[in-house]
Amino acid sequence: MMKSKKEIYLILHNIRSTHNVGSIFRTADAAGVSKIFLSGYTPSPVDNFGRERKDIAKTALGAEKAIPWQYSKTPNSFIKKLKEEGFSLVAIEQSSCSVDYKKIKIKYPVAILVGNEVKGLSPSLINKCDQVAEIPMKGKKESLNVSVATGIALFRILGI
């Protein structure tokens, strides 16, 4: 089934910090994200025993209950299904094929993929994306915290 409305999904792959996950949920809610897919070792808002994760809830402030989410060991099943449903895929990453995030033109429905705090996204995941957006760095540090980068990219790319 092809999706036609302005749906926005996030895919969080191998995010290690519960605080980053909670913060991304909260920012995603503010940006109008419809669903969040979690994969790899990204912690989910509910543990293996069905209990709420207080460390995620502390930074998400209820957004973890407001946005539907789904977990899978690998993001490949999500990506395949989303592509079949007509989603475009945008990675937020620094790579040789990335373009300035201010120049990204979104084709809806869209799934935005973010990765590990240190290693980012693998080349194989980047290659599955239709576009790769990079936030330019002007200081001495070469990157931003993943939750901060996700917020900046979401609001700019979506024109909020």
Side-chain angles (χ1 to χ4, degrees):
M1 176 174 80
M2 297 294 277
K3 300 275 182 176
S4 60
K5 65 181 192 171
K6 285 193 167 187
E7 282 196 85
I8 306 152
Y9 290 177
L10 275 179
I11 301 173
L12 312 182
H13 182 63
N14 284 343
I15 306 292
R16 66 174 187 238
S17 164
T18 56
H19 294 111
N20 283 335
V21 172
S23 184
I24 291 170
F25 263 87
R26 188 170 171 191
T27 301
D29 180 60
V33 169
S34 308
K35 187 169 187 174
I36 297 178
F37 294 96
L38 310 168
S39 63
Y41 49 77
T42 304
S44 65
V46 176
D47 70 15
N48 292 339
F49 301 103
R51 298 175 299 210
E52 177 184 290
R53 301 260 334 227
K54 292 189 187 324
D55 43 5
I56 290 177
K58 181 178 182 177
T59 51
L61 292 178
E64 77 285 9
K65 295 175 183 166
I67 299 178
W69 59 271
Q70 186 178 341
Y71 174 81
S72 178
K73 185 71 179 149
T74 71
N76 295 329
S77 59
F78 297 144
I79 290 170
K80 183 176 189 271
K81 185 173 186 280
L82 292 172
K83 289 271 193 183
E84 288 169 358
E85 292 179 4
F87 277 77
S88 64
L89 195 62
V90 177
I92 308 300
E93 185 59 88
Q94 297 170 326
S95 83
S96 59
C97 63
S98 62
V99 298
D100 188 312
Y101 78 123
K102 294 184 284 304
K103 296 179 180 169
I104 293 291
K105 300 287 188 231
I106 290 297
K107 178 183 155 274
Y108 291 96
V110 64
I112 298 174
L113 179 60
V114 296
N116 179 268
E117 290 90 338
V118 176
K119 296 179 182 174
L121 296 167
S122 69
S124 66
L125 281 177
I126 291 171
N127 288 336
K128 294 178 193 296
C129 295
D130 301 301
Q131 299 180 82
V132 182
E134 180 174 342
I135 301 169
M137 299 290 117
K138 300 217 181 245
K140 292 184 175 29
K141 301 305 287 179
E142 295 179 0
S143 66
L144 293 165
N145 170 280
V146 67
S147 67
V148 172
T150 302
I152 290 170
L154 272 176
F155 275 74
R156 177 62 188 231
I157 292 170
L158 300 176
I160 299 170

